[in-house]
Amino acid sequence: MEGFLKELGSIIHTRDATALRVKSADFSWFSPIMSAALGNRQAEVILSPKSEEEVVRIAAACAKHRVPLVARGGGTGNFGQAVPLAGGAVIEMTGLDRIVFDKGNVTRAQAGIRIANLDTHLRKSGRELRMHPSTKKLATLGGFIGGGHAGIGTVNWGILRDRGNLLGLRVITIEETPRALELRGDDVNLVHHAYGVNGIVTEAELPLAPAYEWLDTIVVFDDFGRAAEFGMALTTSDGILKKLVSVHAWPVPHYFVPLKPYLPMGKAAALLMIGAETREAFEALVKSFQGKVTLCVPQDNIYEYTWGHTTMHALRADRSLTHLVCIFPKVDTLGSIRRVHQKLGEEAFLHLEFKRFNGYMTAEGVPLFRYQGFEQITRLYRAFEAEGARIANVHTFLLQNGGMKDLDDKQIGFKRSVDPHLLMNPGKVAGLDDLPGGISGATLEAAQLPASGWAY
Amino acid sequence: MEGFLKELGSIIHTRDATALRVKSADFSWFSPIMSAALGNRQAEVILSPKSEEEVVRIAAACAKHRVPLVARGGGTGNFGQAVPLAGGAVIEMTGLDRIVFDKGNVTRAQAGIRIANLDTHLRKSGRELRMHPSTKKLATLGGFIGGGHAGIGTVNWGILRDRGNLLGLRVITIEETPRALELRGDDVNLVHHAYGVNGIVTEAELPLAPAYEWLDTIVVFDDFGRAAEFGMALTTSDGILKKLVSVHAWPVPHYFVPLKPYLPMGKAAALLMIGAETREAFEALVKSFQGKVTLCVPQDNIYEYTWGHTTMHALRADRSLTHLVCIFPKVDTLGSIRRVHQKLGEEAFLHLEFKRFNGYMTAEGVPLFRYQGFEQITRLYRAFEAEGARIANVHTFLLQNGGMKDLDDKQIGFKRSVDPHLLMNPGKVAGLDDLPGGISGATLEAAQLPASGWAY
């Protein structure tokens, strides 16, 4: 480590204990299982490069001195992807926050830019990102691409991995003489959602969407089944502009304290972003479902109660809660949702994020429940699957067990070519770079949860 | 009629024989059955108002003198909706071609504006219509709304009747003292696709789409099944920008003479409009289907070989052809397409327009075949239905037999309130305003074709 540090020269770095603790954590505490499995692993140094040239110097030094490294964005991931399991260096990427170019409906920015900053810049000229996570204010572009999969806007554009949502990535390899690769076309998915195990992303090129005037909107319903039907109807109303369709069974809305005036006790609620110019058409749809609009204003913060943020608000109120994540089937989507809610609604409080997934309209379900151990969670996984939902395992930090990423030969070959010394985020790819002692304890148990993966 | 003409004052009108013949026809000659049923019905006078005020005077005069009237746009309809069955007046709306307002993502224009003129104007400031018919250059806005249902752009926005695609309509009633109604929300569908039987549309308000840079693109495939699979994959690739996905079995491409250099003999062809900024992603998709791109340029005329124009090109080459129109099922869409093509492909040359319909991705199928009479067409209808496709009857001019429009009590009540003397496009609503002698001959036979309608 000392030899490594000497080579860093003017690159800002710190070994301050608080910094090491804070910059070695992410939001994996959403899962009590992962928390136990990850323990208090920490980096030995936090590096804060300000340019790609500094990133290249870091990559070369890591390769030369065999120092493990984890690239870190805003630290908002829920899956332990930013936790350094083998010590070494955390590279804080937020210093690389420049917009590289911006023309027409395409923008290219450095990986460390905060997504909200990029989006605010784009909206000034009538464009915006196709999708962003609920953590838009904290998360970086590179972090979203490396560890996220979808978000607000996915109801229009599908998920990040869908062809066309990510035009290019610039990646620095971890070699004594690092290379800068430009990945385009299908190759971007080698690095997307790979938890940063295969190169340091320094730039990303993205297609843009038109910046409509979005209205933060809440509609309440007497029962959840009706709210879910409405959510699907809105999602499949091709003429009505929307960016977010998120439906919550009571008591989930109870956790959204600042929204209390708009969320009557006991009611199911749809949290939405609706385009202003089709507001009348939207209101006609609401009326046909006997919903009641309690909020409809242009403020752009309602998304911070949806997707991953829903769990965060719930955990603020009750730390005994955790969640699981499923995708409902493309056929009989609403039937599956209804059955799951009827059978398990008392134990698992459901919310839905409607989305385009593999070309179909469906809903992601994120039930919140009080964690009682592996048997309970296994039982819940199986119960959801029995009703047609497929489970993404959000209680493991192992890349191939999450269910989103298929680590085939091409992926493994690419990993070896860009990171020949297996230094990048070690411990996240089982079988390739297991930490000493192998996989055991909570890690093993979590990896063995009967998750079915995310595909149709 | 003479009393009526006296009241017109300065309103431009003609009784010239050629004008009467030309302005009393539409593209219903696509159907030999409808041609026989419609005969050579003609108007007695063609009126060319230049303002809404003149339209109001015409409406009042028609009511007072009980003169039947048909509102006419570009005359590009395929269903006889512009043919005056009871003589009277044809009101040529093309003089009302003003843009009323244009702000943000909403525009409002007079009904007689040519769609291409409106679209060209909008594109100068980065916006365009959500959808337009293949007859965009000739067709008027009001004609499209009154007699069309979908078009280029439907693959993104669904069909015209979907909530949000039509924000408002201004309609003049046919009464001694005409009223001007503003229809908004769900009420716009009272008049949309009603063949102009319930009021004269003078203005329409529409939401706009961003004007991407569209590339006219052709991809060829060795076989039609593969081309259809590709069409569905492109349609459901949520991240790839497209505005048109039209897939043609050989020999349909053979009829597209000007495109001959891009359409190899015997190959199936996909005619597409692709967004320039996701071109690389599109090419990756093409590659994965072993397609070959033969054209990819920004020229904006390929749409004139798709939708209704396909039939027109085929009929130019072979007047013995006609078509039918079906919608493939939302489940097993490709299976249904494949079976229909296998069983009937030698007799009925299929092309597909992929579209969003009732919230799902599916394809409209328009097989071309050499017309041999009612028995053949009935057999084809039944054969398509047996494989899961639903048939819209394009061989009848009767509104409720087409399959697109449900004439319920609300519709009939609205018709009676805006047109109490039943003067508007008489003969198109069976049972309400049948012409003397009732429905008989080819009209009756066509109305009895076993069409299943257009809904899931």
Side-chain angles (χ1 to χ4, degrees), chain B residues 179-456:
Chain B
R179 292 166 292 149
L181 309 178
E182 174 74 13
L183 303 178
R184 301 197 71 84
D186 285 356
D187 286 344
V188 295
N189 282 338
L190 290 167
V191 168
H192 162 50
H193 203 80
Y195 288 3
V197 301
N198 50 17
I200 304 173
V201 176
T202 55
E203 295 178 8
E205 190 176 316
L206 299 158
L208 303 175
Y212 294 108
E213 184 190 342
W214 300 113
L215 302 171
D216 278 10
T217 303
I218 296 178
V219 188
V220 296
F221 296 87
D222 284 342
D223 79 86
F224 175 70
R226 195 84 180 141
E229 279 173 42
F230 168 79
M232 183 57 101
L234 176 58
T235 305
T236 56
S237 286
D238 295 314
I240 300 178
L241 289 169
K242 59 265 174 187
K243 192 173 174 182
L244 170 67
V245 181
S246 179
V247 170
H248 303 255
W250 189 262
V252 180
H254 175 67
Y255 301 125
F256 305 153
V257 179
L259 299 181
K260 203 172 173 185
Y262 317 109
L263 296 168
M265 186 76 71
K267 304 275 189 192
L271 275 56
L272 313 166
M273 290 170 71
I274 297 296
E277 64 244 47
T278 55
R279 181 173 177 165
E280 283 171 275
F282 165 72
E283 284 167 350
L285 181 72
V286 171
K287 195 177 163 194
S288 75
F289 279 85
Q290 292 95 46
K292 190 183 163 202
V293 176
T294 59
L295 179 76
C296 192
V297 294
Q299 61 186 23
D300 197 32
N301 62 28
I302 203 163
Y303 67 81
E304 290 188 321
Y305 298 87
T306 67
W307 290 84
H309 264 68
T310 307
T311 302
M312 200 188 69
H313 288 285
L315 278 166
R316 268 189 193 160
D318 182 349
R319 276 300 297 264
S320 72
L321 292 168
T322 189
H323 62 193
L324 64 83
V325 175
C326 71
I327 189 92
F328 287 101
K330 68 180 177 184
V331 175
D332 191 31
T333 314
L334 287 170
S336 177
I337 291 170
R338 203 176 299 114
R339 292 192 302 275
V340 158
H341 181 63
Q342 273 169 3
K343 293 189 179 173
L344 303 162
E346 298 288 309
E347 178 181 5
F349 315 144
L350 197 54
H351 75 104
L352 310 169
E353 328 294 350
F354 284 86
K355 65 198 286 191
R356 292 199 190 189
F357 184 71
N358 285 12
Y360 287 86
M361 309 295 190
T362 185
E364 178 175 325
V366 185
L368 303 166
F369 52 93
R370 295 199 172 80
Y371 180 61
Q372 294 158 16
F374 265 101
E375 270 179 45
Q376 174 213 32
I377 215 165
T378 302
R379 173 173 55 75
L380 285 173
Y381 272 36
R382 293 223 159 100
F384 272 74
E385 289 182 338
E387 303 306 339
R390 295 182 67 86
I391 303 281
N393 188 354
V394 293
H395 297 283
T396 178
F397 57 78
L398 293 171
L399 191 49
Q400 61 267 65
N401 290 98
M404 275 292 298
K405 192 83 179 174
D406 186 21
L407 286 188
D408 57 13
D409 288 349
K410 192 177 175 191
Q411 281 279 351
I412 297 294
F414 181 75
K415 158 79 173 164
R416 287 191 180 280
S417 81
V418 300
D419 181 23
H421 308 302
L422 303 180
L423 297 170
M424 295 210 72
N425 213 346
K428 303 295 164 66
V429 181
L432 186 71
D433 56 3
D434 294 335
L435 298 181
I439 299 169
S440 62
T443 308
L444 182 63
E445 280 192 293
Q448 289 173 339
L449 283 169
S452 39
W454 276 45
Y456 287 133

Side-chain angles (χ1 to χ4, degrees), chain A residues 105-106 130 156-158 162-165 167 184-186 205 207-213 236-241 277-278 280-282 284-285 288 330-331 356-361, chain B residues 105-106 130 156-158 162-165 167 184-186 205 207-213 236-241 277-278 280-282 284-285 288 330-331 356-361:
Chain A
N105 288 315
V106 178
R130 285 182 170 184
N156 294 320
W157 297 101
D162 288 333
R163 282 190 179 104
N165 284 331
L167 301 179
R184 302 197 70 86
D186 286 355
E205 191 175 316
L208 303 176
Y212 294 108
E213 184 190 343
T236 56
S237 286
D238 295 316
I240 299 179
L241 290 169
E277 65 245 46
T278 55
E280 283 171 275
F282 165 73
L285 182 71
S288 76
K330 69 179 176 186
V331 175
R356 292 199 191 192
F357 184 71
N358 285 11
Y360 288 86
M361 309 296 189
Chain B
N105 288 315
V106 177
R130 284 182 171 185
N156 294 320
W157 297 101
D162 287 333
R163 281 191 181 102
N165 284 332
L167 302 179
R184 301 197 71 84
D186 285 356
E205 190 176 316
L208 303 175
Y212 294 108
E213 184 190 342
T236 56
S237 286
D238 295 314
I240 300 178
L241 289 169
E277 64 244 47
T278 55
E280 283 171 275
F282 165 72
L285 181 72
S288 75
K330 68 180 177 184
V331 175
R356 292 199 190 189
F357 184 71
N358 285 12
Y360 287 86
M361 309 295 190

Side-chain angles (χ1 to χ4, degrees), chain B residues 84-153:
Chain B
L85 297 182
V90 158
I91 308 179
E92 200 182 26
M93 295 294 292
T94 50
L96 278 77
D97 62 355
R98 222 164 31 84
I99 294 170
V100 179
F101 72 72
D102 178 21
K103 50 184 180 191
N105 288 315
V106 177
T107 198
R108 186 175 176 109
Q110 287 188 308
I113 195 169
R114 305 274 181 193
I115 296 172
N117 292 349
L118 178 57
D119 226 12
T120 301
H121 164 80
L122 293 167
R123 282 192 64 94
K124 285 179 195 155
S125 48
R127 303 153 304 144
E128 63 183 29
L129 295 172
R130 284 182 171 185
M131 67 192 78
H132 65 77
S134 69
T135 50
K136 164 175 164 171
K137 288 174 191 164
L138 265 185
T140 62
L141 184 55
F144 183 40
I145 291 166
H149 92 282
I152 291 92

Side-chain angles (χ1 to χ4, degrees), chain A residues 85-141:
Chain A
L85 297 182
V90 159
I91 308 178
E92 199 182 26
M93 295 295 290
T94 50
L96 279 77
D97 62 354
R98 223 165 29 84
I99 293 170
V100 179
F101 71 71
D102 178 21
K103 51 183 178 192
N105 288 315
V106 178
T107 196
R108 187 175 176 107
Q110 287 189 309
I113 194 169
R114 305 276 180 192
I115 295 171
N117 291 349
L118 178 56
D119 226 13
T120 301
H121 164 79
L122 294 167
R123 281 192 63 94
K124 285 177 195 156
S125 48
R127 303 152 306 143
E128 63 182 28
L129 296 171
R130 285 182 170 184
M131 67 191 79
H132 66 77
S134 69
T135 51
K136 162 175 167 172
K137 288 174 190 162
L138 265 183
T140 63
L141 183 56

